[in-house]
């Protein structure tokens, strides 16, 4: 039990919270504590009856306990953790912001395609973002098909089609994942691009990731004349000279540190 408890506590906080709530929700339905009819996405009941919880529970229920539920939980846990341990390491607040962004878009699209539960679409979003951020990772599908990570969402889409499942779940998950990937990883790298998805400051404080603003580094910590912590303008020669007027002459025998290129 101690080993199991230690393993559980080592799971990153966002992954641990989401997967735990998903499992507890499914167990509550299995034990007849709640009914799936109280959990599914219904815009009419949300608006007219103020059943706001349905906006969250539609992402938490993965069907009755069985093989399908097991595979969904494994996929959700695996790719959620790899994202949080990888590209979101030390940025749990940004990871939560991705959850919120994806949830809002999926809820909007879900209105038009009449999907009751969006948990599998949410998992596909996680898989898609991970696959685009790890394009060189080799994948193997049941020892039969070898491919690289960016093709994984498409392989899962084909599997859904073969099994006769609705493809709208996969399409929405991949679509929302692609929108997030473009806005977060592609557009900011363009010449006039910038980040459109910004994490609120209160989320950063919640995860103790807030950064002290308007920090001004000391002159001796600004090698090469670059204004570290400044507004991005290079220091003028007279500014550099003024910084060294009150300093003792350097020892001619002391080694001179090279300025960074």
């Amino acid at each position: 039990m101690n080993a199991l408890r230690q393993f559980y506590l080592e799971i990153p906080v966002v992954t641990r919270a989401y997967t735990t709530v998903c499992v507890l929700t499914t167990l509550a339905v299995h034990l007849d504590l709640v009914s799936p009819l109280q959990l599914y996405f219904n815009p009419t009941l949300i608006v007219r009856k103020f059943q706001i919880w349905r906006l969250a529970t539609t992402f938490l229920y993965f069907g009755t306990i069985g093989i399908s539920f097991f595979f969904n939980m494994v996929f959700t846990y695996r790719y959620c953790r790899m994202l949080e341990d990888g590209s979101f390491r030390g940025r749990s607040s940004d990871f939560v912001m991705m959850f919120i962004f994806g949830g809002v878009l999926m809820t909007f699209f879900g209105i038009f395609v009449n999907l009751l539960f969006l948990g599998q679409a949410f998992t596909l979003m996680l898989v898609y973002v991970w696959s685009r951020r790890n394009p060189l990772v080799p994948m193997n599908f049941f020892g039969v098909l070898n491919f690289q990570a960016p093709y994984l969402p498409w392989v899962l889409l084909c599997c859904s089609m073969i099994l006769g499942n609705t493809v709208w779940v996969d399409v929405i998950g991949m679509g929302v994942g692609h929108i997030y990937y473009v806005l977060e990883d592609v557009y900011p790298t363009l010449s006039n691009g910038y980040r459109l998805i910004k994490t609120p400051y209160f989320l950063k404080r919640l995860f103790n990731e807030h950064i002290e603003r308007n920090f001004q580094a000391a002159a001796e910590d600004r090698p090469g004349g670059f204004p570290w912590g400044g507004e991005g303008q290079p220091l003028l020669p007279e500014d550099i000279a003024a910084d060294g007027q009150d300093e003792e002459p350097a020892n001619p025998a002391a080694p001179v540190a090279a300025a960074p290129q």
Side-chain angles (χ1 to χ4, degrees):
M1 290 301 295
N2 288 334
L4 183 62
R5 179 176 179 272
Q6 182 178 359
F7 169 79
Y8 178 74
L9 294 178
E10 287 176 352
I11 301 174
V13 59
V14 178
T15 302
R16 182 171 69 238
Y18 179 62
T19 53
T20 298
V21 175
C22 289
V23 172
L24 291 179
T25 301
T26 303
L27 285 177
V29 173
H30 183 72
L31 298 174
D32 292 328
L33 299 178
V34 295
S35 168
L37 298 177
Q38 300 173 288
L39 306 177
Y40 75 96
F41 178 64
N42 188 320
T44 302
L45 294 178
I46 293 173
V47 174
R48 296 183 179 179
K49 300 291 185 179
F50 301 103
Q51 297 182 4
I52 307 299
W53 66 84
R54 294 179 183 271
L55 293 173
T57 55
T58 185
F59 296 101
L60 304 179
Y61 181 62
F62 284 82
T64 57
I65 295 179
I67 297 298
S68 177
F69 169 76
F70 174 76
F71 277 108
N72 280 322
M73 281 294 93
V74 169
F75 259 79
T76 301
Y77 164 77
R78 176 179 174 82
Y79 291 97
C80 193
R81 177 165 187 170
M82 286 196 297
L83 275 174
E84 193 170 3
D85 277 340
S87 57
F88 286 100
R89 177 181 291 273
R91 299 192 300 125
S92 295
S93 59
D94 292 338
F95 197 35
V96 172
M97 191 61 199
M98 176 182 139
F99 273 48
I100 297 173
F101 175 84
V104 170
L105 278 187
M106 288 182 195
T107 301
F108 174 75
F109 293 139
I111 297 174
F112 301 99
V113 296
N114 195 28
L115 289 178
L116 302 181
F117 294 100
L118 299 170
Q120 294 182 14
F122 193 83
T123 299
L124 257 294
M125 179 192 72
L126 298 175
V127 172
Y128 186 91
V129 174
W130 176 86
S131 68
R132 295 306 298 265
R133 290 184 171 181
N134 299 271
L136 301 180
V137 176
M139 308 293 294
N140 182 276
F141 189 71
F142 292 107
V144 177
L145 183 63
N146 295 314
F147 53 91
Q148 289 183 308
Y151 295 100
L152 177 60
W154 299 98
V155 172
L156 297 177
L157 174 62
C158 292
C159 288
S160 295
M161 297 175 63
I162 294 173
L163 296 175
N165 298 330
T166 175
V167 297
W168 283 115
V169 172
D170 302 76
V171 170
I172 289 179
M174 293 169 60
V176 172
H178 185 71
I179 292 173
Y180 179 84
Y181 170 74
V182 170
L183 295 181
E184 187 70 8
D185 294 5
V186 177
Y187 182 70
T189 63
L190 301 179
S191 57
N192 295 323
Y194 55 91
R195 289 188 64 188
L196 294 173
I197 306 174
K198 297 185 178 181
T199 304
Y201 187 67
F202 78 90
L203 276 180
K204 292 186 177 293
R205 288 193 63 88
L206 179 65
F207 291 95
N208 197 28
E209 296 170 357
H210 55 287
I211 302 174
E212 183 180 358
R213 301 179 184 274
N214 300 322
F215 173 75
Q216 191 72 283
E220 60 269 19
D221 294 331
R222 290 181 271 169
F226 188 84
W228 299 100
E231 298 299 325
Q233 299 295 329
L235 291 180
L236 299 176
E238 55 268 25
D239 296 330
I240 300 176
D243 284 340
Q245 283 180 353
D246 298 330
E247 297 179 358
E248 294 294 331
N251 185 357
V256 179
Q261 298 296 323

